[in-house]
């Protein structure tokens, strides 16, 4: 039986993926009815996958991130109908919100910020004024609290990141962000050849920043992974020198070793029993008919098949390439 939810809020979403033909949508189940939920979720994103002709990079990446022990939104697929008309296949993405935080981190009361792309930002110190941080880190929780409470820890984080790497740099930065988790997050992105993530080609992009109520130590949460699997032979230190935090962290031998270790673990996890290849193939078989029937997608069915072929080649070849690069870097 179908599950019907009434009186929900729906808005168009997306920056580079906005489309009048196949719009990305954000569905807010408790916008007008306090506490209303759908299958335990307060909100759901309907991703149009406009930049991904395979339509499965996003979900495959999130499943892999979870496989590597990091929190990631749950995702599935669905045919979307509006007034009885088939509007196409969408990826259904769980919102990163208090429900997600409670389940994944055991902390539904913490501070959550969505990074918003604004010019190229590579982790430099943006000055004393909170406005520059509010522009790039949009508060998703505790919105009524004063700017000092919300943004002072973020301002201090980027201040400390940009100090000279001396004997106390790591201690100061570790009071404000979990360096081990950052290096793990970035290593997973790098294995997946992400071009628009924390080490994005145009600056940092597509992540949430979270900190607990009783701590100033932030961590990263992945978001929007439809530009992964870009290049089979993407270098394992691609753009690392551009990022203020990662470039400095890599100067510490143990953090560099951790980064290489996680890359190696990613390669072995992807190759084990041909896991990544099987995941791509199974998802392809699940959605293929719906993709072919989707007349609103911006690419052709031939483009879809070529995109799937590329992903399969990535799954077969990327692990060996990364293992070789890691061996050379040790």
């Amino acid at each position: 039986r179908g599950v019907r939810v009434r009186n929900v809020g729906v808005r168009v979403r997306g920056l580079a993926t906005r489309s009048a033909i196949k719009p990305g949508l954000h569905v807010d189940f408790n916008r007008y009815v306090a506490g209303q939920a759908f299958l335990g979720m307060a909100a759901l994103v309907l991703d149009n996958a406009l930049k991904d002709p395979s339509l499965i990079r996003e979900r495959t990446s999130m499943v892999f991130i979870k496989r590597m022990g990091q929190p990631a939104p749950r995702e599935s697929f669905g045919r979307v109908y509006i007034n009885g008309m088939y509007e196409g296949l969408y990826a259904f993405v769980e919102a990163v919100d208090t429900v997600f935080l409670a389940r994944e981190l055991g902390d539904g009361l913490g501070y959550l910020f969505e990074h918003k792309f604004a010019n190229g930002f590579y982790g430099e110190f943006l000055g004393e004024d909170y406005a520059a941080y509010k522009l790039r880190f949009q508060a998703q929780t505790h919105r009524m609290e004063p700017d000092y409470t919300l943004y002072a820890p973020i301002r201090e984080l980027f201040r400390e990141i940009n100090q000279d790497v001396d004997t106390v740099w790591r201690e100061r930065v570790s009071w404000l962000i979990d360096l081990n988790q950052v290096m793990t997050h970035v290593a997973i992105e790098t294995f997946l050849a992400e071009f628009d993530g924390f080490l994005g080609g145009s600056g940092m992009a597509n992540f949430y920043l979270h900190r607990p109520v009783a701590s100033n130590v932030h961590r990263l949460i992945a978001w929007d992974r439809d530009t992964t699997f870009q290049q089979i032979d993407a270098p394992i230190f691609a753009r690392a020198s551009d990022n203020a935090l990662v470039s400095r962290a890599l100067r510490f031998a143990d953090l560099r070793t951790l980064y290489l270790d996680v890359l190696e673990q990613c390669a072995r996890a992807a190759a084990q029993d041909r896991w990544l290849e099987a995941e791509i193939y199974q998802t392809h078989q699940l959605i293929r008919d719906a993709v072919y029937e989707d007349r609103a997608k911006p690419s052709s069915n031939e483009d879809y098949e070529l995109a799937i072929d590329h992903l399969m080649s990535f799954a077969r070849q990327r692990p060996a390439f990364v293992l070789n690069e890691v061996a050379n870097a040790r």
Side-chain angles (χ1 to χ4, degrees):
R1 294 187 304 170
V3 178
R4 179 171 295 180
V5 181
R6 300 182 183 274
N7 299 319
V8 303
V10 181
R11 64 172 174 84
V12 176
R13 64 174 297 278
L15 184 61
T17 57
R18 281 188 176 259
S19 169
I21 299 173
K22 188 179 181 182
L25 301 171
H26 182 275
V27 182
D28 190 344
F29 299 112
N30 64 6
R31 174 72 176 179
Y32 302 111
V33 181
Q36 180 169 255
F38 173 68
L39 301 179
M41 294 179 291
L44 185 67
V45 171
L46 275 58
D47 189 340
N48 57 11
L50 206 66
K51 295 189 291 184
D52 176 18
S54 80
L55 281 85
I56 69 170
R57 292 181 182 186
E58 168 87 11
R59 181 185 181 277
T60 305
S61 298
M62 292 304 185
V63 172
F64 185 76
I65 291 168
K66 287 283 289 183
R67 180 173 170 82
M68 298 309 300
Q70 293 295 298
R74 296 173 295 178
E75 300 200 14
S76 188
F77 296 96
R79 297 171 184 257
V80 173
Y81 293 82
I82 300 177
N83 297 326
M85 298 294 293
Y86 181 46
E87 298 295 330
L89 181 75
Y90 280 74
F92 289 6
V93 186
E94 176 186 22
V96 175
D97 55 16
T98 56
V99 176
F100 171 89
L101 294 175
R103 189 189 72 246
E104 293 290 323
L105 301 178
D107 179 23
L109 301 177
Y111 291 84
L112 180 69
F113 303 86
E114 182 180 2
H115 177 266
K116 296 291 187 179
F117 185 84
N119 304 318
F121 177 49
Y122 297 87
E124 59 270 24
F125 181 56
L126 298 172
E128 300 295 336
D129 196 326
Y130 294 130
Y133 304 95
K134 291 175 67 175
L135 178 66
R136 291 169 174 81
F137 296 94
Q138 186 178 95
Q140 303 298 299
T141 60
H142 299 271
R143 293 187 181 95
M144 303 305 293
E145 295 195 14
D147 287 349
Y148 174 82
T149 303
L150 289 168
Y151 291 102
I154 295 177
R155 182 188 64 185
E156 296 312 304
L157 168 62
F158 288 102
R159 185 199 307 276
E160 296 299 345
I161 285 171
N162 287 276
Q163 300 297 324
D164 290 338
V165 178
D166 54 24
T167 56
V168 293
W169 180 91
R170 183 168 179 176
E171 181 181 3
R172 294 195 310 265
V173 172
S174 293
W175 290 336
L176 296 162
I177 198 164
D178 184 339
L179 285 170
N180 286 349
Q181 192 272 329
V182 169
M183 301 310 287
T184 298
H185 178 100
V186 172
I188 296 170
E189 278 193 354
T190 299
F191 174 78
L192 292 172
E194 169 65 81
F195 185 74
D196 199 23
F198 196 74
L199 299 182
S202 299
M204 299 196 303
N206 295 318
F207 65 94
Y208 283 82
L209 200 61
H210 170 265
R211 72 172 183 265
V213 170
S215 170
N216 283 332
V217 180
H218 298 82
R219 64 167 298 146
L220 307 178
I221 299 173
W223 181 249
D224 196 0
R225 289 291 173 263
D226 58 2
T227 57
T228 47
F229 305 104
Q230 289 291 312
Q231 182 183 343
I232 293 170
D233 59 351
I236 63 172
F237 291 105
R239 300 179 300 279
S241 61
D242 298 336
N243 186 278
L245 174 56
V246 175
S247 62
R248 286 167 169 80
L250 283 171
R251 299 185 197 181
F252 294 85
D254 63 318
L255 292 177
R256 188 176 188 275
T257 297
L258 172 63
Y259 178 74
L260 295 174
D261 286 347
V262 175
L263 277 167
E264 181 175 338
Q265 291 162 15
C266 286
R268 298 194 185 284
Q272 184 180 25
D273 298 325
R274 300 168 69 177
W275 181 90
L276 184 55
E277 188 177 344
E279 184 69 28
I280 292 166
Y281 178 78
Q282 290 168 8
T283 307
H284 163 55
Q285 293 299 307
L286 175 68
I287 69 170
R288 186 175 186 273
D289 289 347
V291 173
Y292 270 57
E293 296 166 14
D294 183 349
R295 305 303 180 190
K297 65 181 184 294
S299 52
S300 67
N301 291 334
E302 291 76 15
D303 291 334
Y304 166 72
E305 294 292 353
L306 288 172
I308 294 295
D309 287 344
H310 169 74
L311 295 187
M312 294 294 280
S313 296
F314 187 101
R316 295 181 187 117
Q317 300 175 39
R318 180 66 172 169
F321 175 83
V322 168
L323 288 174
N324 184 65
E325 289 284 289
V326 168
N328 291 336
R330 291 202 187 271

